Amino acid sequence: MKLTRLRLLGFKSFVEPTDFLIEPGLTGVVGPNGCGKSNLVEALRWVMGESSHKSMRAASMDDVIFSGNTTRPARNNAEVAMTIDNSERSAPAAFNDTDMLEIARRIERESGSNYRINGRDVRARDVQILFADASTGARSPALVHQGRIGEIIQAKPEQRRRVLEEAAGISGLHARRHEAELRLKAAENNLLRVEDVIGQLAGQMDALKKQARQAVRYRTVSAQVRKAEATLYHLRWSAASIEVTEAEHAKDAGLRDVAERTAAEAEASKRQALVAAGLPELREAEAKAGAALHRLNVALADLDREEQRARDRIAELDTRLVQLAADSAREQRLAADAEEALARLAAEEEAIRAEARENAGRRSGVDARVAQADGALNAVEKVFAELTARLADLTARRHQLEGAMRAQGERAARLSAEMGEIERELSTLQATDGPDLAALARAAEEAQAAVAAADAAALAAEAAHAAARQALEATRNPLTEAERKVQRLETEAKTLSKVLAVDTKNLWPPVMDSVAVDKGYEKALGAALGDDLDAPVDPSSPMRWAGAAIDATDPALPAGAEPLAKHVAAPDELARRLSQIGVVDKADGARLSAQLKPGQRLVSPEGDLWRWDGFAAAAHAPTGAARRLAERA
């Protein structure tokens, strides 16, 4: 067998289909480092059945597929095909029917690889045996690579033996012997398993024999059971036949009974009709009786309630009788105690009268002074009562006003001291021959003056408190009104901030904040610029209006279109953009849009848009920028 052609597709650096023709004689490949010479040798080894990705200088077998570069995408499969001249018919018998053999190996990413010989799928082992018969293969010493000669020289005897066997052309026999040994070993394992199966089957046969004997006995018993069941069923059938005959007789009797009952039912229906004719009168009588019964029930309920109230009243009277009996006993005890006290007081009165008679002579001169002192004491007590009433009034007012409370407390203390002095003076008067009426009058006048001063101070404090409260109310109303206005203004400011979408934290305010548009042209500006109004003009912003000077060569707007720049006051960065936007009537927009030059736009005051490239937008589809401009206006 001779190698005549090698075809590569997607293998490593060979992304395009590449054919290498190997003519008779010596064929060589010459090129600089990195041109792919080693890839050709690896392709030969790969198609011969190499299964180690390390021998392919790859991290995995999928790395032999072209992985792409800057100009070409990666491939998902790779294929290497080898054409061999088999005119000598030295190939294995399974593939020795043609003069040419085409051996191909194809791999798909993450799906593995498969082998084909002359278009028929084969095993990798078949390919390896085919090349082993030809004294070559993926790991054959015939494929020499860098350092291979040194490996052969330093090889062990077993490795040298493999080289000699391959040179003698018997490596295929060793491969077949190895495969035959594997098959023989598998056959021996199968024989061992067959012996185990036979042993299992022998045990199963014994069990089956036992089951067969049981089955024979079962059939015998089943036959007896079926015979007994047949006898039982016959007896049941006989009994059922008798029951059927009796049921037929019972049915005839039942039919006669039904006929009799039907006649009775007809007679009963007739009587029911007669009774139904008199039913309304009976129902009326029943209704009257029911009404009378309801009235009697109501009356009975009333009587029950009256009886319950009477019982409750009786119980209450019984309780009161018990209480009266207890009160009577208590009053009798009190009367006895009173009689005893009266007797004791009578005895004391008699003793006092005797003592009074003894002292009458001594007290004849003192009685006049006592009577005079009693008159003075009554006058002072009256004054004291008046002062006490006024003091109570002042104390009540003291609880209402904190400042007046302290003052009245001090005055009450002074009045109490004065009352003590008065009482001491009264005691002195009782001990002396007669009262000092002038001193008493002065004390009464001073007390009245103190009370009058306290009343005046209390009235002044109340007036000051009322004035202060009125002043507080007068100042509180403007404060409340001012707070209400401030709250309303804050609410309006928050609402306007939300409507205008004002973000105080934005580092680059949009150009919309610097644009002033005439009333009625907000929709036109929003339709013309759209979301571009959100871009700032700050040079430090990553997205901004950088501005462009108006060029004299810029095309003019169509006749009848008014520049939008006349109605918009905007930064200079928007000047050129606004100069190429025209304002037209809605009816003329579609006609004039055909005359627009590149970069020009037409808008209507209602918000319609026509662009030079054919794009158009109706006014009923406003942009967010148009809405925000309208809200600002």
Side-chain angles (χ1 to χ4, degrees):
M1 294 190 297
K2 297 181 180 179
L3 178 63
T4 60
R5 187 176 66 173
L6 180 65
R7 187 171 187 272
L8 299 92
L9 174 61
F11 184 85
K12 289 197 172 184
S13 60
F14 297 94
V15 60
E16 297 292 343
T18 305
D19 290 333
F20 288 93
L21 298 178
I22 302 175
E23 302 294 345
L26 182 63
T27 301
V29 179
V30 181
N33 294 336
C35 67
K37 300 187 297 297
S38 300
N39 293 343
L40 292 175
V41 179
E42 292 174 355
L44 287 172
R45 297 177 61 188
W46 189 69
V47 76
M48 287 181 180
E50 178 60 54
S51 59
S52 175
H53 59 84
K54 294 182 180 179
S55 300
M56 296 288 104
R57 297 181 300 169
S60 64
M61 194 56 76
D62 288 343
D63 290 345
V64 302
I65 305 173
F66 178 69
S67 59
N69 54 26
T70 57
T71 59
R72 289 179 179 271
R75 294 180 62 91
N76 289 327
N77 55 68
E79 184 176 0
V80 177
M82 178 188 298
T83 304
I84 297 177
D85 183 6
N86 190 31
S87 58
E88 297 179 359
R89 300 301 176 93
S90 58
F95 313 110
N96 205 18
D97 54 349
T98 58
D99 292 339
M100 300 297 292
L101 294 177
E102 185 179 15
I103 303 168
R105 182 178 181 181
R106 180 181 178 84
I107 183 172
E108 291 187 3
R109 196 178 298 276
E110 297 181 358
S111 298
S113 59
N114 56 350
Y115 296 85
R116 294 191 307 277
I117 298 179
N118 289 340
R120 185 174 61 184
D121 290 337
V122 296
R123 301 176 303 166
R125 187 69 178 171
D126 297 333
V127 174
Q128 293 171 358
I129 291 176
L130 186 148
F131 286 106
D133 288 343
S135 298
T136 183
R139 300 183 181 180
S140 172
L143 295 177
V144 180
H145 55 78
Q146 185 176 2
R148 183 62 175 171
I149 303 301
E151 292 178 2
I152 294 174
I153 293 173
Q154 298 175 2
K156 296 179 180 180
E158 293 180 357
Q159 296 174 346
R160 292 180 183 177
R161 179 182 176 181
R162 188 164 60 87
V163 173
L164 295 176
E165 288 176 351
E166 189 171 305
I170 61 175
S171 58
L173 297 177
H174 283 284
R176 284 187 172 84
R177 185 187 68 180
H178 179 66
E179 186 175 1
E181 290 175 351
L182 293 177
R183 290 180 179 176
L184 286 173
K185 188 174 181 180
E188 290 176 356
N189 293 331
N190 291 334
L191 287 174
L192 293 175
R193 287 196 296 272
V194 167
E195 290 178 356
D196 294 338
V197 171
I198 290 173
Q200 294 176 0
L201 291 177
Q204 292 179 2
M205 287 177 64
D206 295 336
L208 290 174
K209 288 178 181 179
K210 183 177 179 180
Q211 292 176 5
R213 291 192 299 269
Q214 293 176 352
V216 171
R217 183 179 178 185
Y218 173 76
R219 283 197 297 270
T220 303
V221 174
S222 297
Q224 295 175 358
V225 170
R226 284 195 297 273
K227 184 177 179 180
E229 288 179 348
T231 303
L232 177 62
Y233 290 153
H234 178 70
L235 295 174
R236 288 181 178 177
W237 178 78
S238 300
S241 299
I242 296 172
E243 290 178 358
V244 168
T245 303
E246 294 176 354
E248 288 179 353
H249 293 309
K251 183 185 73 170
D252 295 337
L255 291 175
R256 289 192 299 271
D257 192 11
V258 167
E260 294 175 358
R261 297 295 179 85
T262 303
E265 182 184 4
E267 185 66 23
S269 299
K270 183 177 179 181
R271 288 197 303 271
Q272 181 184 7
L274 294 175
V275 172
L279 187 61
E281 296 178 358
L282 296 176
R283 287 180 177 172
E284 184 178 359
E286 181 185 5
K288 292 179 180 178
L293 178 62
H294 179 68
R295 288 195 298 273
L296 292 175
N297 290 331
V298 171
L300 179 61
D302 293 339
L303 291 175
D304 290 338
R305 287 194 293 273
E306 289 293 336
E307 181 182 4
Q308 184 64 32
R309 283 197 296 271
R311 290 177 180 176
D312 295 341
R313 181 61 177 169
I314 291 171
E316 182 181 356
L317 292 175
D318 292 338
T319 304
R320 294 188 65 181
L321 286 174
V322 173
Q323 292 177 355
L324 289 174
D327 293 342
S328 176
R330 187 174 61 254
E331 292 296 333
Q332 290 176 359
R333 289 193 300 272
L334 293 176
D337 294 339
E339 289 177 357
E340 294 177 357
L342 287 174
R344 187 174 60 255
L345 290 175
E348 291 178 357
E349 182 179 5
E350 185 64 27
I352 291 171
R353 285 179 180 178
E355 186 178 359
R357 284 193 297 271
E358 293 176 357
N359 296 328
R362 293 194 299 269
R363 294 181 58 185
S364 58
V366 179
D367 289 337
R369 292 195 297 273
V370 169
Q372 200 172 23
D374 288 338
L377 179 61
N378 291 331
V380 172
E381 286 179 352
K382 183 177 180 181
V383 174
F384 179 76
E386 293 177 358
L387 293 176
T388 303
R390 292 180 182 180
L391 179 61
D393 188 13
L394 292 175
T395 303
R397 293 179 182 179
R398 181 188 61 188
H399 287 292
Q400 297 176 359
L401 302 172
E402 293 181 356
M405 180 175 64
R406 289 191 296 271
Q408 295 300 327
E410 294 174 357
R411 291 187 181 89
R414 288 197 299 271
L415 290 175
S416 298
E418 290 176 358
M419 291 299 101
E421 292 178 358
I422 291 172
E423 290 177 354
R424 287 193 296 275
E425 290 177 358
L426 288 175
S427 300
T428 304
L429 289 174
Q430 289 176 358
T432 59
D433 294 337
D436 191 356
L437 297 180
L440 293 175
R442 286 195 300 274
E445 289 177 359
E446 291 177 359
Q448 290 179 357
V451 169
D455 291 338
L459 292 175
E462 289 180 355
H465 183 268
R469 185 177 295 277
Q470 291 177 358
L472 179 61
E473 294 294 333
T475 55
R476 183 177 293 174
N477 291 333
L479 177 60
T480 304
E481 184 66 23
E483 290 178 350
R484 188 163 52 249
K485 289 182 180 179
V486 170
Q487 185 176 5
R488 185 171 63 252
L489 292 175
E490 289 178 353
T491 304
E492 291 179 359
K494 291 179 180 178
T495 304
L496 291 175
S497 299
K498 292 180 180 178
V499 170
L500 301 178
V502 176
D503 188 1
T504 58
K505 297 181 179 179
N506 191 0
L507 297 178
W508 302 292
V511 72
M512 183 188 300
D513 295 344
S514 304
V515 174
V517 58
D518 294 345
K519 185 175 180 60
Y521 289 88
E522 298 87 357
K523 295 182 179 179
L525 179 61
L529 297 183
D531 293 336
D532 293 344
L533 289 170
D534 292 334
V537 296
D538 194 336
S540 61
S541 175
M543 180 186 69
R544 65 185 184 278
W545 284 91
I550 298 177
D551 195 346
T553 60
D554 289 344
L557 294 171
E562 183 183 11
L564 182 60
K566 294 183 179 180
H567 303 283
V568 178
D572 296 337
E573 287 81 359
L574 275 70
R576 189 173 187 183
R577 177 73 175 272
L578 293 175
S579 65
Q580 293 298 310
I581 300 174
V583 182
V584 298
D585 292 336
K586 185 175 183 179
D588 299 335
R591 177 177 57 82
L592 296 177
S593 63
Q595 304 177 17
L596 293 175
K597 300 299 187 293
Q600 293 182 342
R601 302 184 182 191
L602 294 177
V603 292
S604 68
E606 292 81 6
D608 300 280
L609 171 67
W610 298 271
R611 212 163 60 189
W612 63 274
D613 53 1
F615 176 80
H620 60 268
T623 62
R627 286 193 296 268
R628 290 194 294 273
L629 284 172
E631 290 169 353
R632 284 178 178 275

